[in-house]
Amino acid sequence: MAEAGCSTVEGSLTQEFVVPSHVQMVKGLMAEFAERHGSAGRRVVLVTSGGTKVPLESRTVRFLDNFSSGRRGASSAEYFLDAGYAVVFLHRHRSLYPYTRRYAGVNLLDGLRLEPAAGECAPARVVADQESLPGIAAVLQRYQEVKVAGLLLPVEFNTLSEYLHLLKAAAQALSNMGSEAMFYLAAAVSDFYIPASEMPEHKIQSSEGPLQLSMKMVPKMLSPLVKDWAPKAFVISFKLETDPGILLERARRALDTYHHQAVVANVLDTRRGYVVVVTQDHATELALTAAEEQARLEIEEKIVGNLVSAHSNFILQQD
Ligand code: PMT
């Protein structure tokens, strides 16, 4: 795909994607968060997470979606918090969330037990069932520590338009942090969309026969992010392919196009256990061994460990 120039990205962002009304307010919260943690000497990472929905009708009945569960972003956010970062978590509404993600498949009511009340007038006690919710005490404790310390700022997006404008706002809000800010773009963002002006208002009728869609390219945000919005930050993009044969070439091409610091390359079927961190000089393979898989270690712990030390080196080089 031919890459759009920066001014084209800016132009099409404002012309073709409606600016959500809450963007300025959220930008203020993100700037205050960055300022607070920056003054405390803490680095800040923006983690993007989850897929995007692209509507086919303006009164939307149908939409195009993708596979992303948000697990990569949610688990990475936890490891960044453990490494001492403050995290802005820009995630799709209802995709996986740090800490609660561990119990995503559990029916809450199966995870709780009623115990008899202490006295006649006292209410029955609700107790977490450790078998249904393994590790719940430690997870709850960490969640509460993070919350009390104000280390995690969750920001939700629903639509592609919200994602694009909130990412721009986040990049600008964190730009004062310079090289202390990291962008970890794990979201799977749609490459295609139907402009509002070309979208049918009402439900597309099947009686009209087979559906043919013509979609426009979504502007790639990496270009203005790296050049204009946060030019000193440490920026990591992701590259997902289904064909392992083209993965590294695509990752290198992204680095050559956008001139950011690293691409985490992964293949759909093996993404939970194997990635390659590609930089201008190296391609570092990170993999879980069979023993690590058995011990339920997560590849995100290795990805975050690798990038945190690369970020430290990057900061030193800027001084
Ligand atoms: O959520 P999970 O189920 O755990 O899966 C994790 C993942 C496979 C989604 C994740 O590891 C991953 O690979 N995410 C990126 C998917 C991808 O290939 O994106 P892309 O090639 O469309 O985009 C390249 C990069 O640019 C990405 O970092 C993306 O966040 C960013 N991007 C994309 C489009 C756009 N308009 N603006 C962007 O900034």
Side-chain angles (χ1 to χ4, degrees):
M1 172 200 125
E3 291 305 332
C6 176
S7 54
T8 318
V9 173
E10 288 272 17
S12 64
L13 234 196
T14 37
Q15 281 158 27
E16 307 201 20
F17 296 93
V18 179
V19 186
S21 56
H22 65 304
V23 164
Q24 281 310 317
M25 186 272 290
V26 177
K27 185 174 173 182
L29 290 178
M30 293 189 286
E32 186 276 326
F33 183 83
E35 165 63 29
R36 178 158 48 91
H37 290 294
S39 339
R42 203 170 283 121
R43 298 181 197 165
V44 175
V45 59
L46 174 93
V47 174
T48 69
S49 188
T52 53
K53 261 190 205 173
V54 176
L56 302 188
E57 301 122 341
S58 31
R59 300 190 188 201
T60 308
V61 174
R62 302 187 187 88
F63 49 82
L64 290 181
D65 205 341
N66 66 47
F67 68 95
S68 172
S69 62
R71 179 167 148 187
R72 174 85 84 220
S75 59
S76 301
E78 291 179 23
Y79 293 113
F80 278 117
L81 288 161
D82 290 347
Y85 282 67
V87 177
V88 179
F89 186 58
L90 178 58
H91 64 289
R92 176 178 170 173
H93 179 61
R94 292 199 179 142
S95 62
L96 293 183
Y97 192 85
Y99 307 109
T100 60
R101 71 175 174 105
R102 294 168 189 264
Y103 308 108
V106 181
N107 178 337
L108 179 65
L109 299 182
D110 288 336
L112 301 174
R113 243 189 8 251
L114 275 182
E115 288 205 341
E120 233 175 67
C121 299
R125 287 190 312 146
V126 178
V127 176
D129 174 15
Q130 308 273 341
E131 262 179 43
S132 310
L133 304 171
I136 184 70
V139 172
L140 180 60
Q141 183 171 359
R142 184 68 185 131
Y143 173 77
Q144 289 182 342
E145 281 165 7
V146 164
K147 198 167 174 181
V148 168
L151 291 168
L152 178 64
L153 178 64
V155 178
E156 278 188 2
F157 58 88
N158 278 301
T159 62
L160 176 63
S161 194
E162 281 177 357
Y163 167 82
L164 296 173
H165 285 289
L166 286 168
L167 178 63
K168 176 180 174 183
Q172 293 175 331
L174 268 57
S175 67
N176 282 347
M177 298 201 78
S179 61
E180 300 275 326
M182 188 196 295
F183 291 83
Y184 182 89
L185 306 176
V189 185
S190 175
D191 283 326
F192 310 103
Y193 77 108
I194 302 178
S197 56
E198 292 168 28
M199 206 184 288
E201 181 184 353
H202 294 287
K203 182 184 169 197
I204 298 168
Q205 295 298 318
S206 58
S207 56
E208 286 166 20
L211 179 61
Q212 290 203 334
L213 291 175
S214 165
M215 303 182 84
K216 284 181 78 168
M217 298 296 302
V218 173
K220 287 277 183 199
M221 302 296 277
L222 265 172
S223 183
L225 191 153
V226 173
K227 275 200 244 167
D228 295 336
W229 301 335
K232 294 190 176 147
F234 186 67
V235 179
I236 312 302
S237 72
F238 279 70
K239 178 51 70 184
L240 176 83
E241 293 295 343
T242 50
D243 174 0
I246 61 168
L247 184 66
L248 291 188
E249 187 271 317
R250 292 296 157 101
R252 291 202 177 96
R253 193 191 294 180
L255 276 185
D256 289 344
T257 307
Y258 302 111
H259 308 291
H260 56 305
Q261 282 64 48
V263 176
V264 179
N266 55 173
V267 171
L268 185 64
D269 296 340
T270 56
R271 71 188 192 279
R272 301 283 174 232
Y274 175 79
V275 305
V276 188
V277 180
V278 182
T279 62
Q280 277 300 343
D281 309 320
H282 293 100
T284 308
E285 291 183 274
L286 302 176
L288 289 179
T289 63
E292 286 171 335
E293 271 179 23
Q294 190 126 39
R296 300 193 172 233
L297 293 197
E298 296 180 305
I299 191 76
E300 287 78 14
E301 185 171 359
K302 295 191 183 207
I303 302 174
V304 169
N306 178 291
L307 294 174
V308 166
S309 56
H311 190 194
S312 300
N313 291 336
F314 176 78
I315 292 169
L316 286 178
Q317 283 161 19
Q318 312 306 306
D319 292 340

